[in-house]
């Protein structure tokens, strides 16, 4: 798993992908080459003669031709990456966030939400503890990775993070249990606005919101992670191309001035999906320091990093093995600054085997 140390933002290092030293022509260099040619010392009288003029036009033609070749090369690279991303074996592995009292949160999730404590690890030399909870084993289910940092008892959730979604067979019964355990209910059970699905909203001891959705039996009860974005079409385009997700559905709610898009690697009833929410007129959000990231499996972290950059993301950790455990990862930010860590599929399974 990827260690999360809060409160200290990781520096963003420049990527080595698509730099001027690469084998591909860099479009950013084209203007300087062109202007360097035109600035070459030429007698003034030659600018009025055919000979000098033809030299200039031949130079322009060479520059234009080079630029066209660069565009064609970039287009071919994008097309190749698109095809690879579509074929890559990807799955949402876990979501990481920080809590102020690990034992209290574990108790709430197991007793009120029916999760299982899958494993727990303490790293005293770095002063933090992780706990992994969910509804099934990590090699086949989306799970929660809680992080407790020694001595930090509260965090700012911010306005950008929305909620997690949990599918339950009886929302009303689940809400009664949560009330009996002293949990906070933000919205009583009832049909969703503009629909018929029965939902409720509850809050865990750290203030993270959970939407309870009434559904039949499902292999993936932990079914949603909702994040707010400033440009929905931009986000959809990025997650489709860079992450290889599919747009499962999109719904506009003009009465309440918001639009949602459900993105994922499979149907909503059998997989955890990403719910992106756009609120009319809001382009930026305070992300706080509580929510950390989502982890996604991939067959190749190196090509994943290349796709992220070429399709509008920012690589914050260059692809490669983690010191000590050799699990290959890469970390990136989407256009809104939401962080995702991609983990090598084979390395991830090896790491679980060693637990």
């Amino acid at each position: 798993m990827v260690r999360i140390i809060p409160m200290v933002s990781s520096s963003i290092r420049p990527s080595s992908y698509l730099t001027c030293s690469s084998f591909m022509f860099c479009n950013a260099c084209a203007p300087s080459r062109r202007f360097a040619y035109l600035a070459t010392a030429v007698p003034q009288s030659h600018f009025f003669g055919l000979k000098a003029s033809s030299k200039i036009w031949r130079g322009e033609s060479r520059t234009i031709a080079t630029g066209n070749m660069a565009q064609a090369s970039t287009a071919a690279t994008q097309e190749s990456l698109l095809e690879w991303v579509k074929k890559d074996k990807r799955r949402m592995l876990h979501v990481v966030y920080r809590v102020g009292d690990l034992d209290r949160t574990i108790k709430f999730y197991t007793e009120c939400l029916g999760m299982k404590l899958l494993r727990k690890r303490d790293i005293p030399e770095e002063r933090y503890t992780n706990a992994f909870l969910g509804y099934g084993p990590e090699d086949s289910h989306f799970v929660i990775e809680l992080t407790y940092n020694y001595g930090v008892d509260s965090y700012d959730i911010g306005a950008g993070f929305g909620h997690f979604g949990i599918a339950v067979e009886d929302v009303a019964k689940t809400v009664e249990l949560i009330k009996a355990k002293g949990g906070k209910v933000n919205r009583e059970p009832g049909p969703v606005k503009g629909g018929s699905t029965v939902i409720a909203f509850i809050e865990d001891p750290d203030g993270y919101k959970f939407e309870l959705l009434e559904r039949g039996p499902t292999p993936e009860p932990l079914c949603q992670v909702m994040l707010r974005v400033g440009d929905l079409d931009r986000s959809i385009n990025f997650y489709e191309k860079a992450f290889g997700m599919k747009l499962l559905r999109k719904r506009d709610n003009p009465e309440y001035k918001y639009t949602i898009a459900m993105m994922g690697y499979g149907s909503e009833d059998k997989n955890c999906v990403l719910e992106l929410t756009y609120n009319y007129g809001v382009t930026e959000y305070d992300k706080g320091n509580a929510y950390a990231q989502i982890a996604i499996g991939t067959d190749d972290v190196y090509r994943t990093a290349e796709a992220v950059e070429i399709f509008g993301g920012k690589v914050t950790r260059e692809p490669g093995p983690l010191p000590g455990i050799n699990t290959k990862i890469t970390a990136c930010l989407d256009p809104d600054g939401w962080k995702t860590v991609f983990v090598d599929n084979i390395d991830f399974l090896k790491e679980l085997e060693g637990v």
Side-chain angles (χ1 to χ4, degrees), residues 37 50-63:
Y37 172 80
L50 178 61
K51 197 173 204 177
S53 177
S54 63
K55 285 184 180 179
I56 294 173
W57 284 110
R58 282 199 298 271
E60 289 280 355
S61 298
R62 284 196 296 271
T63 302

Side-chain angles (χ1 to χ4, degrees), residues 54-240:
S54 63
K55 285 184 180 179
I56 294 173
W57 284 110
R58 282 199 298 271
E60 289 280 355
S61 298
R62 284 196 296 271
T63 302
I64 292 171
T66 306
N68 289 340
M69 290 174 63
Q71 291 177 4
S73 177
T74 300
T77 301
Q78 290 183 352
E79 188 65 29
S80 174
L81 282 172
L82 274 175
E83 287 304 311
W84 178 81
V85 167
K86 290 178 182 178
K87 296 176 182 178
D88 189 25
K89 295 178 182 178
R90 297 188 173 183
R91 180 176 73 85
M92 292 173 65
L93 305 176
H94 54 258
V95 61
V96 186
Y97 53 99
R98 306 169 180 100
V99 297
D101 185 328
L102 193 59
D103 291 335
R104 178 186 64 183
T105 303
I106 291 172
K107 180 179 176 67
F108 181 83
Y109 286 7
T110 54
E111 294 184 1
C112 296
L113 300 179
M115 295 186 193
K116 296 177 181 179
L117 175 61
L118 303 173
R119 61 189 173 102
K120 190 176 179 182
R121 66 182 180 189
D122 186 40
I123 315 293
E125 64 271 19
E126 297 192 29
R127 299 179 56 79
Y128 76 91
T129 307
N130 290 135
F132 296 81
L133 296 101
Y135 295 98
E138 292 177 65
D139 60 357
S140 59
H141 288 72
F142 184 71
V143 306
I144 288 172
E145 179 181 341
L146 301 175
T147 297
Y148 168 71
N149 291 280
Y150 293 7
V152 184
D153 59 9
S154 65
Y155 295 94
D156 174 20
I157 293 179
F161 170 78
H163 62 262
F164 303 111
I166 297 180
V168 299
E169 294 187 41
D170 191 327
V171 169
K173 185 176 180 180
T174 304
V175 167
E176 287 304 314
L177 173 62
I178 291 170
K179 286 181 177 179
K181 296 287 185 179
K184 182 178 179 181
V185 177
N186 302 96
R187 181 195 188 278
E188 294 290 339
V192 65
K193 295 176 180 178
S196 58
T197 302
V198 176
I199 68 166
F201 275 91
I202 62 100
E203 195 171 296
D204 79 357
D206 288 274
Y208 292 101
K209 291 183 174 59
F210 286 79
E211 180 181 13
L212 306 178
L213 302 99
E214 193 159 281
R215 293 180 181 173
T218 173
E220 192 63 276
L222 186 55
C223 58
Q224 292 177 4
V225 177
M226 192 276 258
L227 302 174
R228 298 183 176 95
V229 298
D231 184 329
L232 190 59
D233 290 335
R234 178 186 65 182
S235 295
I236 291 172
N237 183 65
F238 174 79
Y239 280 97
E240 284 181 328

Side-chain angles (χ1 to χ4, degrees), residues 249-262:
R249 62 186 174 96
K250 186 178 179 181
R251 187 181 77 236
D252 185 38
N253 295 275
E255 182 181 355
Y256 300 103
K257 296 184 177 181
Y258 74 91
T259 308
I260 64 167
M262 311 301 285

